[in-house]
Amino acid sequence: MRRPGLMLYGILCYFFFNIAFLYMAGFLLGVAVPKAINDGVPSDLPASLAINALLVFLFGFFHSLMARQWFKDRWTKLIPVEAERSTYVLQAAAFLSLLMLFWQPMPFAIWSVDGIWALLVYAVFGIGLVTVLLSTFLIDHWELFGLRQIRASAIGAPAPRPVFKTPMLYRLVRHPMQLGVILVFFATPVMTAGHLFFAVTMSVYVLIGLHFEERSLVREFGATYRDYQTRVPMLVPNPFRLLQRRVRPA
């Protein structure tokens, strides 16, 4: 793969993922997309559960598999090392798109709110989206999506090395990006059985993924990350610890 072609590949992967993620926002809210989570003709419940479970499994399996170091070591014998992250982003977008395309509606309502409560739910959804986006830029947005690695290769610079840092939201929870994603999954004014199944199963996958990610971070950063684990919760901010920081004498 020529370097200009590699750069184009990285940019296309980046845009494909962002389009898929933005589509997911509309998919979950049922806004401005041709197919939302509750659209379509419902089939029998066991078939819908089986198909939806398979779709979530496929997304989670490949998303987790390609994040493992042993897989990366083998995979990068087939593709350029600098394209590994972009390819990971591409597969995430592809399987997320596949999930939304073939998702089976289960429209039985679990809850439904309107008025001020609906506005509050939309606000939580927006907070989740902003948290996800902000979290990527607080660490390294371009490295996370593979563009920094490709650019470094294109200009003959060394590949960026991982740096441990805990800016802003990362001082409140260790994984604000995943917290934002979970908020997006659950924040809807009309929660159907299908939407709840999506939110729960995808959140379970997030928690499983975090288990493996935490192990990888401990291997990579050692005692520094273990100390971080003792001081900062994984997903849910600790209000008492925040209060203690605020009242701590100078």
Side-chain angles (χ1 to χ4, degrees):
M1 186 181 293
R2 292 179 176 272
R3 294 302 180 228
L6 190 61
M7 180 62 73
L8 177 61
Y9 173 74
I11 292 172
L12 290 175
C13 292
Y14 175 77
F15 278 108
F16 184 24
F17 179 87
N18 280 276
I19 290 169
F21 187 80
L22 289 175
Y23 189 100
M24 185 186 74
F27 176 78
L28 294 176
L29 289 182
V31 175
V33 294
K35 181 181 185 298
I37 194 166
N38 297 314
D39 290 346
V41 179
S43 58
D44 61 289
L45 185 60
S48 295
L49 286 171
I51 292 170
N52 292 342
L54 176 61
L55 292 169
V56 173
F57 171 79
L58 288 173
F59 173 83
F61 176 77
F62 285 99
H63 198 261
S64 182
L65 174 68
M66 294 186 69
R68 306 280 70 80
Q69 188 59 50
W70 64 265
F71 184 89
K72 293 179 184 179
D73 292 340
R74 290 163 174 78
W75 184 231
T76 49
K77 294 178 181 178
L78 302 176
I79 66 170
V81 173
E82 56 270 22
E84 181 272 324
R85 186 66 191 182
S86 290
T87 305
Y88 180 78
V89 167
L90 177 62
Q91 67 79 26
F95 280 102
L96 180 59
S97 300
L98 185 72
L99 185 154
M100 294 186 290
L101 178 63
F102 292 103
W103 187 262
Q104 300 298 300
M106 296 186 285
F108 175 75
I110 306 296
W111 74 66
S112 179
V113 296
D114 53 19
I116 186 64
W117 294 109
L119 292 177
L120 288 174
V121 170
Y122 285 128
V124 172
F125 188 93
I127 290 170
L129 281 180
V130 171
T131 299
V132 173
L133 181 62
L134 179 59
S135 298
T136 67
F137 282 101
L138 287 174
I139 42 176
D140 191 330
H141 179 87
W142 308 114
E143 181 180 357
L144 182 68
F145 288 95
L147 293 176
R148 190 174 300 282
Q149 295 89 318
I150 288 177
R151 181 180 181 277
S153 173
I155 64 176
R161 296 182 60 83
V163 177
F164 180 73
K165 54 184 178 179
T166 58
M168 197 174 165
L169 297 178
Y170 289 86
R171 297 173 187 171
L172 303 178
V173 292
R174 300 198 299 275
H175 301 283
M177 192 186 312
Q178 287 80 355
L179 172 60
V181 166
I182 291 174
L183 291 179
V184 167
F185 290 160
F186 281 95
T188 177
V190 180
M191 177 64 80
T192 62
H195 194 144
L196 184 62
F197 185 80
F198 177 96
V200 170
T201 53
M202 291 292 279
S203 296
V204 168
Y205 166 68
V206 167
L207 295 176
I208 293 172
L210 286 179
H211 169 74
F212 290 104
E213 184 175 348
E214 290 268 301
R215 292 173 58 182
S216 297
L217 290 167
V218 168
R219 285 195 298 268
E220 189 166 11
F221 297 108
T224 300
Y225 195 81
R226 283 193 291 268
D227 176 66
Y228 181 54
Q229 288 176 310
T230 63
R231 293 183 292 102
V232 178
M234 178 184 287
L235 284 173
V236 182
N238 185 336
F240 298 105
R241 181 162 294 185
L242 294 176
L243 183 62
Q244 288 173 355
R245 290 178 183 176
R246 183 165 295 184
V247 301
R248 183 179 298 168

